[in-house]
Amino acid sequence: MVTIKDVAKKAGVSISTASYALNNSGPVSAETKERVIKAAEELKYRPNGNARDLKSSKTNTIGLIVSDLAGPFFSELIRGVQEATLASGYDLMALSAIGGFDSTAAKFLKEKRTDAMIIFAHNLDDNLIKSAARQDMPIALLDRRLSSKYIINIEVDNFNGAYKAVEYLISLGYKRIAYISGSDDSYDNIKRFEGYKAALEAYGIGYAPKLCYKGNFIEAGGYQAAKLMLLQNDLPQGIFAANDEMAIGAMEAFDEAGLKVGKDIAIIGFDDIRLAQYVDPPLTTIKQPVYEMGCLAVRLLMQALQGDFPNEEEIILPAELIIRKSCGES
Amino acid sequence: MVTIKDVAKKAGVSISTASYALNNSGPVSAETKERVIKAAEELKYRPNGNARDLKSSKTNTIGLIVSDLAGPFFSELIRGVQEATLASGYDLMALSAIGGFDSTAAKFLKEKRTDAMIIFAHNLDDNLIKSAARQDMPIALLDRRLSSKYIINIEVDNFNGAYKAVEYLISLGYKRIAYISGSDDSYDNIKRFEGYKAALEAYGIGYAPKLCYKGNFIEAGGYQAAKLMLLQNDLPQGIFAANDEMAIGAMEAFDEAGLKVGKDIAIIGFDDIRLAQYVDPPLTTIKQPVYEMGCLAVRLLMQALQGDFPNEEEIILPAELIIRKSCGES
DNA sequence: CTGTTAGCGCTTTCAG
DNA sequence: CTGAAAGCGCTAACAG
């Protein structure tokens, strides 16, 4: 590995002069500078970013942690974060939380390797996050709530989103409305479930535990849940799935059973992933403003880095009903 | 920032002892160790990863650079890379090449911050990549070819994939076959275009420049191309789009024009992105083994890190024809 | 304008 | 079993 020392020696100058020349950071004569640069090129010198960061105790990068880099849902979020980060002149590194406590994400969280973090993952321990957050490492926590001076909570209005979804189903005349749930312990699943129950209640429809199915937020889970309904021979009129993936899984199952979604049974999802508009019939769903969330997170983090944290305990973004065809025409 | 020094002081031991205790890396009495760990906890000590990496001149992470983190196409690739990296005990950091020369990716490439890199991006300069590749920073380059001792080229068989696509269209009886191209300068577009021409030739069908449209690898590009065909009032019988995004864009345009894809016009794509099976009609396409590519890249890189580079100039993975409905029943 | 030098936080010989 | 000290590659006072 060729270091700045080698460059300096080759150029016949001192290390500091070499550094100045290479970074335009100090007074160097044009001639010397050129000599240094030439030496660096000939030696194929590459600065060592780690050393620089160590010295300046600043990385100029913000990290984005998602539960699974490969998930389709994160595309929009990443887009938002990416644009905002780029605009602020920071670098972005995306990390996966797969593996939980042993994941790369956990490691980078513990060892300060970024100036700030955005976390959109549920498989990361509360304590881990809490203890990682500090003055010089603010964290924007999406769709999850944790109280700490250095954590900025940003969430979408899961409760009202779910409420709207169920209300819409009810407005269409459906009364027996099932719920396909996400991971039990996840914050958003809990909120969505509450919204589901509240809407039912508000319209004088009792909540029935047997209409609740487990789907774990994945397509296969939704498929299984629908299969179960089919098996029980006691189909609900409408289904509210806690995310689009599960809704799509359920649609497949009904499709296989020869049922017409939108006619024989109504399904509404949550998230509005890209696929939602392409499935047949197009999926009615609740749109999360993920892109905006990403941008907002970056902006708030930038401010936090200046020592300026928001006052609110959490920031809640509205969710919007997107009507397509899977619940029938309205 | 609390350092290991603070911990050592608080525990009443020397720095090295503290380090040993914290990392289980040296002989420390159980009692001392406990004292150190307790002190670290109380102080909320977080090791500084940069310092560690600097000292050990090893980062234990591999980087994955894609042209756009938010693109749908990369999901599968990321999945493959993610799993393989995890399995080898390395960490993974995903970087975007948006911004080209000024991107985070470029920066991380120049400043050695990872032990190895996987690059799947076309907007990164050849020289940049070439000069970043070195013994202690091997690079796996996907779908692109660059000759260097430290670069491992892995590509999918673009030529034969395209050939198969066009051959399939011909076997269905179509003769006027259009091409919607990706970015002109991209390696895979060139190869696919060659495959397209070769198949036409092989079956005695002349290649007509006017049947070639620009689509730039994006959905809107495919849409535009189809609009153009429509406008010219001289529709081809079949279309080979250089990727699925463009094929889907074209489908939209035809849909709007009241044409039935699969009946009035045949379309075949390339990539087999997730959406392909959900559009209406489901898109016939050429599947790239991206997942496998990801896994392979990691494995080869691990070997390279041991000094063991593959002999072949490049590794070519086969592409597979996936027949669905967009070209009609076969 | 240029060189000397003191660290950034950490690991790891090498002595005790 | 524990401590002193060197040094990873780089930046930035400070002194010349």
Side-chain angles (χ1 to χ4, degrees):
Chain A
M1 160 142 286
V2 21
T3 75
I4 198 169
K5 207 164 153 186
D6 303 315
V7 176
K9 197 193 295 178
K10 171 140 192 170
V13 298
S14 78
I15 296 180
S16 61
T17 303
S19 171
Y20 287 144
L22 259 12
N23 301 306
N24 285 315
S25 54
V28 194
S29 74
E31 187 211 0
T32 312
K33 188 165 176 173
E34 200 170 327
R35 218 167 58 239
V36 172
I37 289 176
K38 189 143 152 279
E41 268 169 13
E42 282 171 8
L43 255 26
K44 285 170 179 277
Y45 165 70
R46 298 277 149 203
N48 181 316
N50 268 326
R52 194 207 310 268
D53 288 351
L54 176 57
K55 178 65 189 168
S56 55
S57 42
K58 191 162 174 329
T59 63
N60 203 49
T61 100
I62 90 156
L64 169 64
I65 297 180
V66 292
S67 47
D68 180 357
L69 272 176
F73 174 66
F74 298 113
S75 247
E76 277 301 290
L77 171 69
I78 293 183
R79 197 183 300 278
V81 173
Q82 197 169 254
E83 283 177 18
T85 316
L86 206 64
S88 343
Y90 266 70
D91 289 315
L92 173 66
M93 112 184 8
L95 272 11
S96 157
I98 281 193
F101 201 77
D102 299 316
S103 63
T104 303
K107 202 151 115 192
F108 277 44
L109 216 42
K110 281 182 278 189
E111 311 170 0
K112 182 180 171 8
R113 281 168 190 272
T114 55
D115 289 350
M117 278 282 185
I118 297 175
I119 302 180
F120 199 149
H122 297 283
N123 52 344
L124 238 34
D125 193 62
D126 280 2
N127 288 322
L128 178 65
I129 298 177
K130 265 194 172 165
S131 63
R134 43 187 62 215
Q135 175 71 49
D136 59 352
M137 167 85 151
I139 293 179
L141 193 57
L142 311 191
D143 245 23
R144 184 168 168 178
R145 200 180 301 184
L146 233 43
S147 198
S148 151
K149 198 170 157 202
Y150 304 116
I151 295 180
I152 301 171
N153 291 285
I154 302 178
E155 52 190 84
V156 72
D157 196 338
N158 287 297
F159 178 89
N160 279 310
Y163 190 97
K164 271 188 211 167
V166 176
E167 189 172 45
Y168 173 65
L169 249 18
I170 294 173
S171 79
L172 258 26
Y174 306 124
K175 287 211 153 30
R176 283 177 49 76
I177 298 173
Y179 179 69
I180 304 184
S181 77
S183 325
D184 280 344
D185 54 339
S186 93
Y187 181 72
D188 37 4
N189 181 58
I190 294 172
K191 287 291 177 192
R192 289 173 200 177
F193 186 48
E194 281 171 9
Y196 162 76
K197 285 193 292 189
L200 250 30
E201 199 128 330
Y203 286 87
I205 303 175
Y207 148 69
K210 68 169 178 174
L211 281 176
C212 294
Y213 296 81
K214 258 204 156 111
N216 253 326
F217 277 143
I218 61 176
E219 189 176 337
Y223 181 87
Q224 291 301 342
K227 279 281 188 211
L228 225 60
M229 297 179 197
L230 252 9
L231 230 57
Q232 293 178 166
N233 220 331
D234 176 33
L235 242 40
Q237 300 169 299
I239 298 176
F240 167 45
N243 78 355
D244 288 351
E245 291 276 318
M246 297 190 297
I248 289 170
M251 283 173 68
E252 257 165 64
F254 290 128
D255 206 46
E256 284 176 16
L259 287 180
K260 271 256 192 249
V261 171
K263 201 154 153 288
D264 302 325
I265 191 159
I267 300 185
I268 186 167
F270 203 113
D271 280 354
D272 196 26
I273 59 177
R274 184 169 181 224
L275 242 180
Q277 54 184 298
Y278 289 99
V279 288
D280 181 34
L283 183 67
T284 290
T285 189
I286 301 293
K287 180 185 168 67
Q288 290 210 51
V290 241
Y291 174 87
E292 290 78 5
M293 247 175 150
C295 295
L296 186 64
V298 175
R299 213 172 30 214
L300 259 20
L301 245 19
M302 294 291 141
Q303 289 171 13
L305 250 13
Q306 321 277 301
D308 193 13
F309 283 81
N311 299 320
E312 305 87 344
E313 171 69 18
E314 75 273 326
I315 293 153
I316 298 186
L317 267 30
E320 180 191 355
L321 172 66
I322 306 284
I323 298 179
R324 286 197 270 255
K325 300 279 167 72
S326 63
C327 300
E329 318 292 331
S330 57
Chain B
M1 160 141 284
V2 20
T3 74
I4 199 169
K5 206 164 153 187
D6 303 314
V7 175
K9 197 193 294 177
K10 170 138 192 174
V13 298
S14 78
I15 295 180
S16 60
T17 303
S19 171
Y20 287 143
L22 259 13
N23 301 306
N24 285 314
S25 54
V28 194
S29 73
E31 188 211 0
T32 313
K33 188 164 173 175
E34 199 169 329
R35 218 167 59 238
V36 172
I37 290 176
K38 191 146 150 276
E41 269 169 13
E42 282 170 8
L43 255 27
K44 286 169 180 281
Y45 165 71
R46 298 279 148 201
N48 180 315
N50 268 326
R52 193 207 311 266
D53 287 351
L54 175 57
K55 178 64 190 166
S56 54
S57 41
K58 192 163 173 328
T59 63
N60 204 49
T61 98
I62 90 155
L64 169 64
I65 297 179
V66 293
S67 46
D68 180 358
L69 271 176
F73 174 66
F74 298 113
S75 247
E76 277 301 289
L77 172 68
I78 292 182
R79 197 184 299 280
V81 173
Q82 198 168 252
E83 284 177 19
T85 315
L86 206 65
S88 345
Y90 267 70
D91 289 315
L92 173 68
M93 116 186 0
L95 273 12
S96 157
I98 282 192
F101 201 77
D102 299 316
S103 64
T104 303
K107 201 151 116 191
F108 276 48
L109 215 42
K110 281 182 276 189
E111 310 170 0
K112 183 182 170 10
R113 280 167 191 272
T114 56
D115 289 349
M117 279 283 187
I118 297 175
I119 301 180
F120 199 149
H122 297 283
N123 53 342
L124 238 33
D125 193 61
D126 279 2
N127 287 324
L128 178 64
I129 298 178
K130 264 195 174 165
S131 63
R134 42 187 64 215
Q135 175 71 48
D136 59 351
M137 168 86 149
I139 293 179
L141 193 57
L142 311 190
D143 246 24
R144 185 167 168 176
R145 199 180 299 186
L146 232 43
S147 201
S148 152
K149 200 169 156 203
Y150 305 117
I151 295 180
I152 302 171
N153 290 287
I154 302 178
E155 50 189 85
V156 73
D157 196 338
N158 287 298
F159 178 89
N160 279 310
Y163 190 97
K164 272 188 213 169
V166 177
E167 189 173 44
Y168 173 66
L169 249 19
I170 295 174
S171 78
L172 258 26
Y174 306 125
K175 287 209 151 31
R176 283 176 49 77
I177 298 173
Y179 179 69
I180 304 184
S181 78
S183 326
D184 279 345
D185 54 337
S186 92
Y187 181 73
D188 38 4
N189 181 58
I190 294 170
K191 287 291 175 191
R192 288 173 200 175
F193 186 49
E194 281 172 8
Y196 161 77
K197 284 193 292 190
L200 249 31
E201 197 127 332
Y203 286 88
I205 304 174
Y207 148 70
K210 69 167 175 173
L211 281 176
C212 293
Y213 296 82
K214 258 203 154 113
N216 253 325
F217 277 144
I218 60 175
E219 189 176 334
Y223 181 88
Q224 291 301 344
K227 279 281 189 212
L228 226 61
M229 297 180 197
L230 253 9
L231 229 57
Q232 293 178 169
N233 220 332
D234 176 34
L235 241 41
Q237 301 169 299
I239 298 177
F240 167 45
N243 77 356
D244 288 350
E245 290 277 317
M246 296 190 298
I248 290 170
M251 283 173 68
E252 256 166 64
F254 290 129
D255 206 45
E256 284 176 16
L259 288 180
K260 270 254 190 256
V261 171
K263 201 152 153 291
D264 302 324
I265 190 159
I267 300 187
I268 185 167
F270 203 113
D271 281 354
D272 195 27
I273 60 177
R274 185 167 180 225
L275 241 181
Q277 54 183 297
Y278 289 99
V279 288
D280 181 35
L283 184 67
T284 291
T285 190
I286 301 294
K287 179 186 169 66
Q288 289 211 52
V290 241
Y291 175 87
E292 290 77 5
M293 247 176 151
C295 295
L296 187 64
V298 175
R299 214 175 26 216
L300 259 22
L301 245 19
M302 294 291 140
Q303 288 170 15
L305 249 13
Q306 321 278 300
D308 192 13
F309 282 82
N311 299 320
E312 305 87 343
E313 171 70 17
E314 74 273 326
I315 295 155
I316 299 186
L317 267 30
E320 180 192 355
L321 172 66
I322 305 283
I323 299 178
R324 287 197 269 254
K325 300 279 167 66
S326 64
C327 299
E329 316 293 328
S330 58

